Amino acid sequence: MPVLRLVHPEPAVGPTEARRRKIGLEKVAVDFATRGKTVRAVDGVTLEVPEKQFLALVGPSGCGKSTILNMVAGLLAPTEGTIEYDGAPVLAANTRVGYMTQKDTLLPWRTVADNIGIAFELRCRKASAGERRERVAEMIDLVGLGGFERHYPAELSGGMRKRAALARMLIYEPETLLLDEPFGALDAQLRLLLQQELLHLVERRQMTVILVTHDLEEAVLMADRVVVFTSRPGRIRATRDIPFERPRNAMELRFRPEFSAIHEELWNELKDEFAASIGGERGAK
Ligand SMILES: Nc1ncnc2c1ncn2[C@@H]1O[C@H](COP(=O)(O)OP(=O)(O)OP(=O)(O)O)[C@@H](O)[C@H]1O
Ligand SMILES: [Mg+2]
């Protein structure tokens, strides 16, 4: 596997400068009707994401994290409240965002290189075959999938599929990333490398990011702000600014005492919600 490029000389984006609102959720609630019952998945969520902010959402399984990303991507309308992007309501598929869904949506009948290449063609219809090959090779190298270009998704491991999906999303060069558990299936080593690479990329391209993760450590290492959700129906339980400077070195940060303190503070918020969520699931059976 090629070595990921970890050093980028581009200037840092200061986390504190005042920025305009990129994404806004106002009193959002979502109900799902299934099997003759209506379930409230998300309730009363008001949230603003300034441009270039890296926001992480954490909360127990089933609290509505993916549902929120689906709404920002314009794939689902809220039952109550509004979703805005760049000051306009999101009423249809939001083409300004790159969305890496929780379950990857690679085309099974296309190779890794074609899955990524098709995305590039959709973005740059006039690109030459040579340019396409070059950009695809760059992305494959970025996610460490060299040697697997001609493989089909079914021939890849879970982590490799995630990496292919990440490359396919990044080749669009979206201004905003919606990432749903992007590193969930990766081994610890590769996870670290890709976290670091993503941090560099986000800074270099000045992207706005919403990252959904089960991993609180990952949230604190990567984000400018972490939002903790309650168990279903998902409401905002706590919001915490993460004061670490950019660019960040995720590998070094985890050993700092401030990191442990913030991690512990947020864990204290989260642990009751995990307990409530497990109790709730058992109670529902
Ligand atoms: N299309 C749907 N139809 C019916 N119910 C749904 C649908 N999508 C989500 N739900 C329900 O809404 C709730 C929130 O689901 P969601 O997928 O947003 O949770 P999540 O926080 O992403 O969970 P996880 O961490 O397990 O991915 C769950 O109770 C789920 O069963
Ligand atoms: Mg989810």
Side-chain angles (χ1 to χ4, degrees):
M1 192 180 83
V3 176
L4 290 167
R5 293 161 297 144
L6 290 176
V7 181
H8 300 289
E10 288 76 7
V13 180
T16 48
E17 53 188 83
R19 299 188 187 133
R20 70 191 174 86
R21 184 169 90 166
K22 194 75 183 166
I23 300 164
L25 281 76
E26 178 77 26
K27 297 184 182 148
V28 166
V30 180
D31 292 335
F32 287 112
T34 38
R35 296 165 207 271
K37 274 202 318 192
T38 299
V39 174
R40 177 144 290 204
V42 173
D43 198 26
V45 170
T46 295
L47 183 63
E48 291 205 351
V49 189
E51 65 175 347
K52 298 177 204 164
Q53 183 169 77
F54 195 131
L55 178 76
L57 307 183
V58 296
S61 182
C63 75
K65 303 179 297 294
S66 300
T67 300
I68 286 175
L69 294 192
N70 284 338
M71 289 188 287
V72 176
L75 306 177
L76 175 77
T79 311
E80 293 169 15
T82 54
I83 315 276
E84 280 190 7
Y85 187 89
D86 268 348
V90 177
L91 302 172
N94 184 351
T95 54
R96 311 271 288 284
V97 304
Y99 186 11
M100 188 169 158
T101 51
Q102 193 165 9
K103 190 164 179 291
D104 79 64
T105 51
L106 295 171
L107 303 173
W109 60 91
R110 297 284 191 175
T111 63
V112 167
D114 278 348
N115 263 288
I116 300 168
I118 289 166
F120 182 59
E121 275 167 22
L122 287 173
R123 180 169 186 273
C124 306
R125 288 181 190 274
K126 292 193 185 126
S128 67
E131 199 180 336
R132 168 183 152 140
R133 261 197 311 277
E134 201 176 300
R135 294 284 289 128
V136 168
E138 203 180 302
M139 283 299 139
I140 285 181
D141 183 45
L142 181 80
V143 298
L145 278 179
F148 292 90
E149 295 85 346
R150 301 277 144 236
H151 283 59
Y152 289 90
E155 299 169 321
L156 304 178
S157 71
M160 290 161 94
R161 290 173 67 108
K162 283 272 185 192
R163 283 185 275 153
L166 186 64
R168 189 185 56 177
M169 182 195 64
L170 291 174
I171 207 167
Y172 272 112
E173 298 189 12
E175 60 179 24
T176 295
L177 303 182
L178 306 178
L179 305 170
D180 201 344
E181 296 281 354
F183 307 125
L186 303 181
D187 66 63
Q189 187 81 2
L190 192 58
R191 195 178 171 106
L192 269 174
L193 287 169
L194 280 179
Q195 283 171 344
Q196 191 65 34
E197 189 60 40
L198 184 72
L199 276 174
H200 284 306
L201 204 78
V202 163
E203 271 153 34
R204 207 162 69 225
R205 306 243 172 102
Q206 312 248 307
M207 293 162 162
T208 308
V209 183
I210 304 183
L211 167 77
V212 165
T213 178
H214 279 113
D215 181 348
L216 187 54
E217 182 169 294
E218 178 171 279
V220 178
L221 285 175
M222 300 192 77
D224 300 315
R225 193 158 60 111
V226 176
V227 173
V228 179
F229 280 86
T230 65
S231 57
R232 196 182 59 228
R235 298 189 182 92
I236 293 177
R237 172 170 172 138
T239 299
R240 174 68 154 96
D241 285 328
I242 308 296
F244 302 126
E245 72 289 347
R246 301 249 213 138
R248 286 191 190 170
N249 181 336
M251 301 199 193
E252 176 265 331
L253 208 56
R254 71 188 66 223
F255 300 110
R256 286 210 217 157
E258 311 95 280
F259 171 81
S260 307
I262 294 173
H263 186 273
E264 189 180 347
E265 180 190 318
L266 285 169
W267 174 245
N268 283 333
E269 299 286 347
L270 249 186
K271 66 178 192 233
D272 295 345
E273 297 303 331
F274 278 126
S277 122
I278 289 167
E281 297 299 331
R282 288 207 182 109
K285 280 179 190 154

